[in-house]
Amino acid sequence: MSEEIQPQAPVATIGGIAAYDGQEVTIRGWLYNLRESGKLLFPIFRDGTGLIQGVMFKKAVPPEMFEALKNLQLESSVLVRGKVRADQRAPGGFELDITNLQVVQAVSQDDPFPITLKEHGVDFLMEHRHLWLRTPRQNAILRVRHEVIRAVRDYLDDHGFVLVDTPIFTPAACEGTTTLFETQYFDQKAYLTQSGQLYNEATCAALGKTYCFGPTFRDEKSKTRRHLTEFWMVEPEMAYAHMDDVMDLSEQFISYIVQRVLERRPAELKTIERNTAPLERVRPPFPRISYDEAVEILKRKGSEIQWGGDFGNADETLLGEEFDRPVMVHHYPAAIKAFYMQPDPQRPDLALGVDVIAPEGYGEVIGGGERMSDYNLLLQRIREQNLPPQAFAWYLDLRKYGSVPHAGFGMGIERVVAWVCGLEHVRETIAFPRMLYRLYP
Amino acid sequence: MSEEIQPQAPVATIGGIAAYDGQEVTIRGWLYNLRESGKLLFPIFRDGTGLIQGVMFKKAVPPEMFEALKNLQLESSVLVRGKVRADQRAPGGFELDITNLQVVQAVSQDDPFPITLKEHGVDFLMEHRHLWLRTPRQNAILRVRHEVIRAVRDYLDDHGFVLVDTPIFTPAACEGTTTLFETQYFDQKAYLTQSGQLYNEATCAALGKTYCFGPTFRDEKSKTRRHLTEFWMVEPEMAYAHMDDVMDLSEQFISYIVQRVLERRPAELKTIERNTAPLERVRPPFPRISYDEAVEILKRKGSEIQWGGDFGNADETLLGEEFDRPVMVHHYPAAIKAFYMQPDPQRPDLALGVDVIAPEGYGEVIGGGERMSDYNLLLQRIREQNLPPQAFAWYLDLRKYGSVPHAGFGMGIERVVAWVCGLEHVRETIAFPRMLYRLYP
């Protein structure tokens, strides 16, 4: 493979081509598409930053160069020299008048690029995920994901939260042990984290406001469009904070993320064909309703739910439809929430927990609330749950040495990306999704 | 627990106290220290954003409030109202004239905060890591770590790299199987990733320049000051790039990170008592020497190394001492590098790999190079290594469908933080380090 085109022209990216209007540049990329029209070839090139159409006149280049392009398989890697020309009809606003083309590696005609414009089954695409990522739609989703993650971090960093990475290997379960992946850790067992929250409670007492952001794991034999076995979660936690603070932060946080994607990734959203009107409406304040009210709404809409039950996917969809922006449901029955939730002082059968349910049927994207701050009550709950108090000794310590009211939440990145992109299934929100029966590539 | 102080004053953080000079504020925090001098109490408070000394005059508050503070155990949580007064002698530049103090939760006199100013053994501190994090030095290290991570992301985001999270669960080993943590993944075995690099090679062909940044795992029964079983690694990868591009990026990247910490975290570096003079010198260009030259230097300095051998920790320290900034060592013997390294066309026994070795004895912080782009050669190497070609079918695909020269590296965050902070051991660079025999808290 050689990468020299003589005479050299400055290397440009397709995404940054506007800076080179009227100049000759070198593009380093891949052949994305090719159309022939007599003495003209219209290749489209991609380089990861965008697509650009080139024009090759038969007379403008040596005959063997014209033939080489004419017979070139898609996704072959190429160095292209050409003059950038503004053209309003072109998708990116520019075309390239090709003066030189050099093939870096030609894809074999006997073994062409497996992903074509025709419809492929999901299993086929997932099996070829490493190549599927090259297509414009998948490419755009990954860029939106990146923007979501940048927005998450920028918002928290700019609001005084300190990132504290919490461990992946944990000695004990945060929310039950049945869905934990286990590994041999030298002479003991370790479990892969499902949440950094317990650790966040320690770090917020040290640093005031903290967050963790990393992969979490769930060993669940379920095949739904909202679940992966490996998914990324951001979890902010605040000392001296209550359930209302969680709702205030949630609505600001989600709105910031959605508006920022709208502002910075319009081209990607267009590629994905996302109707952005529902996203434009995602601004504070979000409606806040109690669990009691949510159950009434669901019954009215025909759900079979009874007070005390947890919402299923269908219930979340029904609830989400009722509002034009995310809805925050608070004061859940304590029995269906985690053991560490602070009870409502007025109605101790309720927990000061809140879930945020996205509109358009995307379900829960945030779960959080106020944590228990009383030592004795927490110890009692740990015993009731048959959790080993010894494993939670450090967690109980936080209630002995300067306990404070504290609160926080977890937000699943893949669900947010699925919602913002308008995807049917979370499997497209991450480069290499891990699901039941899907561990390759 | 109540959090109301009447009459209320605006809540301020200690880190942002300068905005309230001359005003009355409420601080929500913990009692960090307490000194008594007759009719005066000098408590120091912390709230995660900083420390501030308060002054309580016996006559200025009700007698029971004075007594309450006088007898208060360290790390009790408190709400403090007081007037902010600039004082150049004070560590943070301000003091607080206390007008009201309310104890949120009093630490028991029978069970005081376990970490005191006296020396504690490392095992004791590690067992109480959840509380140790509250001390100023550990607090400062975590803030430097956060700044390092922000710098990493900002640099890459601002230079056209797309973040693509690579999977933690992998079906096959990247660099041998002996140091892999294993888990049952439904009906098959999965391994915890040691590097996202192979996946980065797929994503950079889709997006041009990418990076992954997440936890990686090494099941190694070693107890050195440079190793954790769970550590965070950032790995950029570039299509159409060579070993020289790795060196160019490495020196810019590391310099940016170090200079940014110096610029934004001077107070934290002072708390850690880091001599910043050696860090000031970390600017491009970094010296670039070949492995051959490195071996000559080491022999001259008394190392037992022979050509062909890998550098040990002691060798890395010796090499690092030779230069006043990080040194980049390139062209290693192919035999001691990973199977996917591109061989030097002139000397195929050498690999186009490069390691960056930090000064001051901190050893290797970056390892990378150019990857193999030829299908047949890669297949041959996979067979030579007795790796299962089927598991690498997708990886081989990258050489069939538009192969391009590509290169990248991995940088371990904990080693960089240890170096920047001047720490003896990486265990202090992460909130909850995971080591041999250390899985708690």
Side-chain angles (χ1 to χ4, degrees):
Chain A
M1 278 186 286
S2 162
E3 292 164 275
E4 297 286 315
I5 281 193
Q6 295 299 341
Q8 288 192 329
V11 171
T13 62
I14 297 171
I17 205 78
Y20 296 91
D21 188 21
Q23 294 179 50
E24 194 161 52
V25 297
T26 299
I27 298 284
R28 308 184 299 189
W30 292 265
L31 181 65
Y32 174 69
N33 211 339
L34 182 64
R35 194 161 53 82
E36 190 183 344
S37 176
K39 292 173 180 174
L40 290 170
L41 292 175
F42 296 103
I44 298 178
F45 303 107
R46 68 166 192 87
D47 71 350
T49 71
L51 297 174
I52 192 167
Q53 178 164 286
V55 184
M56 186 184 273
F57 287 84
K58 194 164 188 171
K59 285 186 179 167
V61 295
E64 63 277 14
M65 194 177 285
F66 190 85
E67 287 304 307
L69 176 57
K70 193 173 160 181
N71 296 310
L72 198 61
Q73 289 290 308
L74 300 189
E75 285 300 321
S76 295
S77 43
V78 287
L79 298 174
V80 189
R81 182 150 52 83
K83 195 171 168 185
V84 180
R85 176 170 41 77
D87 186 332
Q88 291 197 333
R89 297 164 305 177
F94 294 90
E95 284 199 349
L96 199 66
D97 290 327
I98 301 169
T99 54
N100 198 323
L101 182 139
Q102 183 186 312
V103 176
V104 178
Q105 190 246 333
V107 173
S108 165
Q109 296 199 326
D110 302 330
D111 185 2
F113 192 68
I115 296 173
T116 60
L117 287 177
K118 70 167 189 172
E119 286 279 316
H120 295 285
V122 166
D123 277 348
F124 180 86
L125 291 170
M126 278 295 162
E127 196 71 11
H128 293 85
R129 184 68 176 161
H130 53 296
L131 304 175
W132 188 23
L133 293 177
R134 299 186 186 184
T135 61
R137 180 180 166 84
Q138 298 305 315
N139 218 290
I141 294 168
L142 289 184
R143 285 182 184 274
V144 170
R145 179 188 170 97
H146 184 196
E147 194 65 46
V148 166
I149 291 172
R150 289 183 72 176
V152 160
R153 293 186 180 269
D154 284 351
Y155 185 90
L156 296 173
D157 292 347
D158 292 347
H159 286 78
F161 289 80
V162 181
L163 169 71
V164 186
D165 298 309
T166 50
I168 306 298
F169 288 133
T170 59
C174 177
E175 307 182 35
T177 56
T178 54
T179 59
L180 286 171
F181 286 102
E182 180 186 292
T183 191
Q184 189 67 34
Y185 190 87
F186 306 104
D187 55 356
Q188 54 189 313
K189 296 281 181 196
Y191 303 94
L192 302 189
T193 185
Q194 291 192 341
S195 164
Q197 182 213 309
L198 304 194
Y199 293 98
N200 285 342
E201 295 183 50
T203 62
C204 82
L207 290 149
K209 298 200 284 186
T210 54
Y211 71 103
C212 66
F213 192 177
T216 54
F217 306 89
R218 198 167 289 257
D219 186 4
E220 217 165 17
K221 260 205 163 141
S222 69
K223 284 183 86 166
T224 88
R225 62 192 182 85
R226 292 181 188 168
H227 288 92
L228 299 171
T229 56
E230 178 185 323
F231 54 102
W232 285 67
M233 188 147 70
V234 57
E235 297 175 84
E237 190 80 18
M238 304 171 280
Y240 285 103
H242 302 275
M243 191 183 69
D244 285 351
D245 297 302
V246 167
M247 291 198 273
D248 292 347
L249 177 61
S250 294
E251 67 186 2
Q252 294 295 334
F253 187 58
I254 289 180
S255 300
Y256 177 83
I257 294 163
V258 170
Q259 296 309 315
R260 177 146 148 183
V261 173
L262 286 173
E263 184 190 309
R264 299 206 187 174
R265 297 291 166 195
E268 284 81 0
L269 293 173
K270 201 174 165 194
T271 298
I272 307 166
E273 296 176 323
R274 175 59 160 127
N275 172 16
T276 55
L279 298 178
E280 299 282 357
R281 288 191 291 269
V282 178
R283 293 172 190 276
F286 293 172
R288 301 180 183 201
I289 62 173
S290 68
Y291 171 86
D292 294 357
E293 292 171 287
V295 169
E296 288 311 306
I297 292 171
L298 286 172
K299 282 181 172 170
R300 173 160 55 72
K301 293 178 79 95
S303 166
E304 311 252 296
I305 191 151
Q306 295 299 315
W307 196 98
D310 209 352
F311 303 144
N313 283 353
D315 292 320
E316 288 180 2
T317 298
L318 282 176
L319 265 182
E321 282 171 3
E322 189 78 359
F323 303 92
D324 71 342
R325 60 195 73 195
V327 54
M328 305 201 275
V329 183
H330 52 78
H331 282 96
Y332 281 80
I336 58 170
K337 286 291 176 189
F339 72 90
Y340 48 71
M341 285 269 191
Q342 177 79 0
D344 181 8
Q346 267 72 54
R347 281 177 63 184
D349 60 321
L350 298 184
L352 296 178
V354 56
D355 285 356
V356 183
I357 295 168
E360 302 179 77
Y362 283 94
E364 182 203 324
V365 286
I366 276 182
E370 186 172 336
R371 324 304 186 180
M372 208 171 274
S373 47
D374 183 74
Y375 180 87
N376 291 318
L377 187 56
L378 180 62
L379 182 59
Q380 184 190 321
R381 286 280 196 282
I382 286 173
R383 287 183 174 145
E384 284 167 8
Q385 301 275 324
N386 288 318
L387 294 167
Q390 194 46 44
F392 288 91
W394 68 270
Y395 187 61
L396 285 158
D397 272 358
L398 306 176
R399 281 73 182 172
K400 282 163 67 179
Y401 305 114
S403 188
V404 299
H406 60 289
F409 65 77
M411 186 179 86
I413 292 303
E414 285 74 18
R415 289 199 182 177
V416 172
V417 174
W419 165 39
V420 169
C421 291
L423 307 179
E424 268 182 46
H425 197 297
V426 289
R427 66 184 161 226
E428 289 182 48
T429 63
I430 189 165
F432 299 97
R434 292 297 180 244
M435 298 172 288
L436 188 59
Y437 311 126
R438 172 55 61 199
L439 189 58
Y440 175 95
Chain B
M1 274 184 287
S2 162
E3 291 165 276
E4 298 286 314
I5 281 192
Q6 295 300 339
Q8 288 192 329
V11 172
T13 61
I14 296 170
I17 206 75
Y20 296 91
D21 188 20
Q23 295 179 49
E24 195 163 52
V25 297
T26 299
I27 298 285
R28 308 184 300 189
W30 292 263
L31 181 65
Y32 174 68
N33 212 339
L34 181 63
R35 195 161 52 83
E36 191 185 344
S37 178
K39 293 172 179 177
L40 289 170
L41 293 175
F42 296 103
I44 298 177
F45 303 107
R46 67 166 193 89
D47 71 350
T49 71
L51 297 175
I52 192 167
Q53 178 164 288
V55 184
M56 185 184 274
F57 287 83
K58 195 165 188 175
K59 285 187 178 168
V61 295
E64 63 276 15
M65 194 176 283
F66 191 85
E67 286 303 307
L69 177 56
K70 193 173 159 182
N71 296 310
L72 199 61
Q73 288 290 309
L74 300 189
E75 284 299 320
S76 295
S77 42
V78 287
L79 298 174
V80 189
R81 183 149 52 83
K83 195 170 167 185
V84 180
R85 177 171 40 78
D87 185 333
Q88 291 197 333
R89 296 164 306 175
F94 294 91
E95 284 199 348
L96 199 65
D97 289 327
I98 301 170
T99 54
N100 198 321
L101 183 140
Q102 184 186 309
V103 176
V104 177
Q105 192 246 331
V107 173
S108 164
Q109 296 200 325
D110 302 331
D111 186 2
F113 192 68
I115 297 172
T116 61
L117 288 176
K118 68 166 189 171
E119 286 278 317
H120 295 286
V122 165
D123 278 348
F124 179 87
L125 290 170
M126 278 294 162
E127 197 73 9
H128 293 86
R129 183 69 176 161
H130 53 296
L131 304 176
W132 187 23
L133 294 176
R134 300 185 186 184
T135 60
R137 180 182 166 84
Q138 298 305 314
N139 217 291
I141 294 169
L142 289 184
R143 286 182 185 274
V144 169
R145 179 187 170 97
H146 184 196
E147 194 64 48
V148 166
I149 291 172
R150 288 183 74 176
V152 161
R153 293 187 180 269
D154 285 350
Y155 185 91
L156 295 173
D157 293 349
D158 293 345
H159 287 79
F161 289 81
V162 181
L163 170 72
V164 185
D165 298 308
T166 50
I168 306 297
F169 288 132
T170 59
C174 177
E175 304 183 37
T177 55
T178 53
T179 59
L180 287 171
F181 286 103
E182 180 186 292
T183 190
Q184 190 66 33
Y185 190 87
F186 306 104
D187 55 357
Q188 53 189 312
K189 296 280 182 199
Y191 302 93
L192 302 189
T193 184
Q194 291 193 340
S195 164
Q197 182 213 309
L198 304 194
Y199 292 98
N200 285 341
E201 294 183 50
T203 63
C204 82
L207 290 148
K209 297 199 286 186
T210 55
Y211 71 103
C212 65
F213 192 177
T216 54
F217 306 89
R218 200 166 289 256
D219 186 3
E220 217 165 17
K221 261 204 163 139
S222 69
K223 285 183 85 167
T224 88
R225 61 191 183 87
R226 291 180 187 168
H227 288 91
L228 298 171
T229 56
E230 178 185 325
F231 54 101
W232 285 67
M233 189 149 67
V234 57
E235 296 175 85
E237 190 79 20
M238 304 171 280
Y240 286 104
H242 301 275
M243 192 183 69
D244 284 350
D245 298 301
V246 167
M247 291 198 273
D248 292 347
L249 178 61
S250 295
E251 67 186 1
Q252 294 293 334
F253 188 58
I254 289 180
S255 301
Y256 177 83
I257 294 163
V258 170
Q259 296 309 315
R260 178 146 147 183
V261 173
L262 285 173
E263 185 189 309
R264 298 204 187 176
R265 297 291 166 194
E268 284 80 0
L269 293 174
K270 201 174 164 193
T271 298
I272 306 166
E273 297 177 321
R274 174 60 157 127
N275 172 17
T276 55
L279 298 178
E280 299 282 357
R281 287 190 290 269
V282 178
R283 296 173 188 275
F286 293 173
R288 303 179 182 200
I289 63 172
S290 68
Y291 171 87
D292 294 355
E293 292 170 289
V295 169
E296 288 311 306
I297 292 172
L298 287 172
K299 282 182 172 168
R300 174 160 53 75
K301 292 177 80 92
S303 165
E304 310 254 296
I305 190 149
Q306 294 300 315
W307 197 98
D310 209 352
F311 302 144
N313 284 352
D315 292 320
E316 288 179 5
T317 299
L318 281 176
L319 265 182
E321 282 171 2
E322 188 77 1
F323 303 93
D324 71 344
R325 59 195 74 195
V327 55
M328 306 200 276
V329 184
H330 52 77
H331 282 94
Y332 281 80
I336 57 170
K337 285 291 174 187
F339 72 90
Y340 48 70
M341 286 268 191
Q342 178 79 358
D344 179 9
Q346 266 72 54
R347 281 177 64 184
D349 60 321
L350 298 185
L352 297 177
V354 57
D355 285 355
V356 183
I357 295 168
E360 301 177 79
Y362 283 94
E364 183 202 322
V365 287
I366 277 182
E370 185 171 338
R371 325 304 187 180
M372 208 171 271
S373 46
D374 183 74
Y375 179 88
N376 291 319
L377 186 56
L378 180 61
L379 182 59
Q380 184 190 322
R381 284 283 195 280
I382 286 173
R383 287 183 174 145
E384 285 167 6
Q385 300 277 321
N386 287 318
L387 294 167
Q390 194 46 44
F392 288 90
W394 69 270
Y395 187 61
L396 285 158
D397 272 359
L398 306 176
R399 281 73 183 173
K400 280 163 69 178
Y401 304 115
S403 188
V404 300
H406 60 290
F409 64 77
M411 186 180 85
I413 294 302
E414 285 74 18
R415 289 200 182 177
V416 172
V417 174
W419 166 39
V420 169
C421 291
L423 307 179
E424 266 183 48
H425 197 296
V426 289
R427 67 184 161 224
E428 289 182 47
T429 63
I430 189 165
F432 298 97
R434 293 299 180 241
M435 297 172 288
L436 187 59
Y437 311 126
R438 172 56 60 198
L439 190 57
Y440 175 95

